[in-house]
Amino acid sequence: MSSSPATLVTLDALPPVGAFYAHYWNKRPFLVRDAIDEAVMERLITPDELAGLSMEETARARMVSREDWSCQFGPFGEEDFNTAGKPPWSLLVQNVEQFHPDTATLLRAFDFAPRWLMDDVMVSFSTRGGTIGGHVDSYHVFLVQGQGTRRWTVGREAVIDEVYIDGLELKILKEPIDGDCVEVTSGDVLYIPPHFAHEGTTLDDALTFSVGFLGPKLSELYGAYGQYLAEQEACDHRYVGAGLSAESAGFTLSADALEALRSHLAEPLSAPAFSAWLAAFFTGSSNEDIEEDSERDETLSLAAFTETLQAGTGLIKPAYVKFALIPSPRGRYSLGFNRQTFDIDEDALAVILSLMKEEAVTRNDTPALLDHPGLLRALYNQQALEFV
């Protein structure tokens, strides 16, 4: 790609996976008209349902007023949605895919993106004139327009040094965005790479679904892996100063000591434990209020689970369930779900890949289901899989 500013491109359809990473991912915004099937759009959360969700203690919700850029946090009450005499406002609710399974089906449209990096589906409802101002995000986002119409202004290149309006809770860019303007309606999808400035303004009451893909910071990776190592005594090796020489006497670390410590830090990254931990790490929810212990109230025994499969009942992975699959040594794989790791072999891999298509599978079309009842039962009892 050229380093010169890029004009927002309009595509005929969501891009093939190869073209997406070659030309757009981290590089260039794009717009696709009518990208989402109408049958999917009809099942997404409604404004009334979103307002109801924002009243729940476990939902992360906020409301932004266009008048003074004030930001109020939920849970909200019915009186908060009285629009009489109110300036334009926007309601934003995070992790909607965890609360509204039909909204999670939207994720299937983005299988060309790394769904293991998917952070959440944030849904915003805003009244006419509503906006949260010009801003930049540190993550990738696909903006799916629901009901209503919005006008977006999208910058033509990543912002290096953001300058924000002083004295506000929100980080709103001080200068207007120099970019392309486009109006979107139901089913349109707008892709914004990280650090590209953008601002959406509602032309009539509108619902927008923001599908975000967020990578971890280095500090988050180091901190979380360090905590994992602390819990795995066999992996948490102490530095004992092996190989030190007279050059490291007193208060001086020699160049050899420095390299030895660097190697000591790097060694756990090459251990099998790292891939197993990483698979679990990428499947935790970003909402700390959502329970991570997902075991069913009524779990099934191995015999009862197997009998259900033998009867021809379908098994499916719901779209809101996040998996991460990582190759491990010796032909095995680490399957992450809900900050847990499941060790699977190549025989089980074919079954897991079938389930990752998020379509119902049965013993009739996938006979190997009956070869791995222990693994599948464990995933079912943890609510990673459902019967159809």
Side-chain angles (χ1 to χ4, degrees):
M1 294 291 293
S2 169
S3 60
S4 60
T7 303
L8 176 69
V9 61
T10 300
L11 306 179
D12 293 331
L14 291 171
V17 62
F20 175 64
Y21 291 102
H23 303 300
Y24 304 108
W25 179 253
N26 267 319
K27 299 179 180 75
R28 184 175 187 177
F30 64 75
L31 170 69
V32 181
R33 299 286 188 191
D34 295 318
I36 307 300
D37 189 270
E38 188 176 344
V40 175
M41 298 300 299
E42 289 175 350
R43 296 168 59 188
L44 302 181
I45 196 168
T46 66
D48 285 344
E49 291 171 328
L50 187 70
L53 179 57
S54 75
M55 300 177 189
E56 301 291 336
E57 289 285 346
T58 52
R60 293 189 299 171
R62 55 201 164 110
M63 192 176 289
V64 176
S65 172
R66 175 64 183 86
E67 184 178 40
D68 56 2
W69 300 121
S70 61
C71 185
Q72 180 183 356
F73 292 89
F76 297 108
E78 290 186 12
E79 66 279 0
D80 293 306
F81 299 102
N82 179 9
T83 60
K86 259 191 175 184
W89 54 270
S90 302
L91 170 69
L92 303 94
V93 184
Q94 307 280 155
N95 299 104
V96 174
E97 80 287 352
Q98 296 290 328
F99 300 97
H100 194 268
D102 279 346
T103 294
T105 62
L106 187 61
L107 296 171
R108 294 173 182 157
F110 303 104
D111 279 345
F112 57 87
R115 282 185 59 185
W116 52 273
L117 269 181
M118 199 279 297
D119 185 47
D120 77 331
V121 179
M122 182 187 75
V123 183
S124 62
F125 173 82
S126 55
T127 59
R128 183 174 181 175
T131 177
I132 60 170
H135 61 284
V136 297
D137 296 317
S138 59
Y139 51 86
H140 305 260
V141 63
F142 294 90
L143 299 164
V144 182
Q145 188 59 31
Q147 72 171 55
T149 306
R150 301 198 86 189
R151 179 189 298 116
W152 286 96
T153 303
V154 183
R156 298 189 181 97
E157 56 189 338
V159 177
I160 305 302
D161 297 308
E162 306 99 300
V163 179
Y164 299 109
I165 300 173
D166 292 332
L168 298 180
E169 291 181 77
L170 300 175
K171 289 187 173 182
I172 299 175
L173 294 172
K174 191 171 186 178
E175 299 297 328
I177 297 172
D178 179 21
D180 300 303
C181 291
V182 63
E183 291 185 11
V184 293
T185 57
S186 181
D188 293 349
V189 172
L190 184 61
Y191 166 66
I192 310 288
H195 305 295
F196 275 67
H198 54 287
E199 178 177 10
T201 303
T202 300
L203 303 182
D204 48 67
D205 291 2
L207 205 57
T208 302
F209 298 79
S210 302
V211 183
F213 292 77
L214 175 66
K217 294 181 179 179
L218 268 176
S219 57
E220 294 168 343
L221 285 169
Y222 274 118
Y225 191 40
Q227 183 177 347
Y228 171 81
L229 291 175
E231 296 166 356
Q232 310 293 320
E233 188 173 346
C235 301
D236 195 15
H237 305 299
R238 185 178 295 278
Y239 171 70
V240 294
L244 288 182
S245 65
E247 293 179 354
S248 289
F251 300 108
T252 302
L253 278 79
S254 68
D256 288 344
L258 184 64
E259 287 305 312
L261 281 165
R262 184 176 284 118
S263 297
H264 186 70
L265 281 170
E267 183 181 351
L269 301 180
S270 302
F274 178 70
S275 59
W277 165 78
L278 199 61
F281 173 80
F282 276 118
T283 58
S285 173
S286 59
N287 186 344
E288 297 177 356
D289 293 327
I290 295 177
E291 288 285 341
E292 288 192 356
D293 181 7
S294 61
E295 187 170 86
R296 295 180 186 277
D297 293 334
E298 296 183 10
T299 59
L300 286 184
S301 67
L302 184 59
F305 180 82
T306 304
E307 182 179 351
T308 305
L309 288 184
Q310 288 174 332
T313 303
L315 200 61
I316 193 169
K317 184 191 87 65
Y320 57 82
V321 169
K322 190 176 181 182
F323 276 178
L325 184 67
I326 299 180
S328 297
R330 300 179 301 279
R332 303 189 72 84
Y333 295 80
S334 294
L335 174 67
F337 161 68
N338 201 30
R339 296 201 187 277
Q340 303 173 69
T341 303
F342 297 84
D343 181 51
I344 63 174
D345 58 24
E346 287 193 351
D347 291 337
L349 175 65
V351 175
I352 295 300
L353 291 177
S354 294
L355 289 165
M356 283 182 173
K357 295 177 182 177
E358 298 176 347
E359 298 172 353
V361 295
T362 70
R363 52 169 278 201
N364 298 324
D365 51 52
T366 311
L369 277 180
L370 297 178
D371 296 336
H372 309 283
L375 169 65
L376 299 179
R377 168 186 171 263
L379 290 169
Y380 172 82
N381 282 340
Q382 290 293 320
Q383 301 187 76
L385 303 175
E386 298 290 343
F387 285 125
V388 180

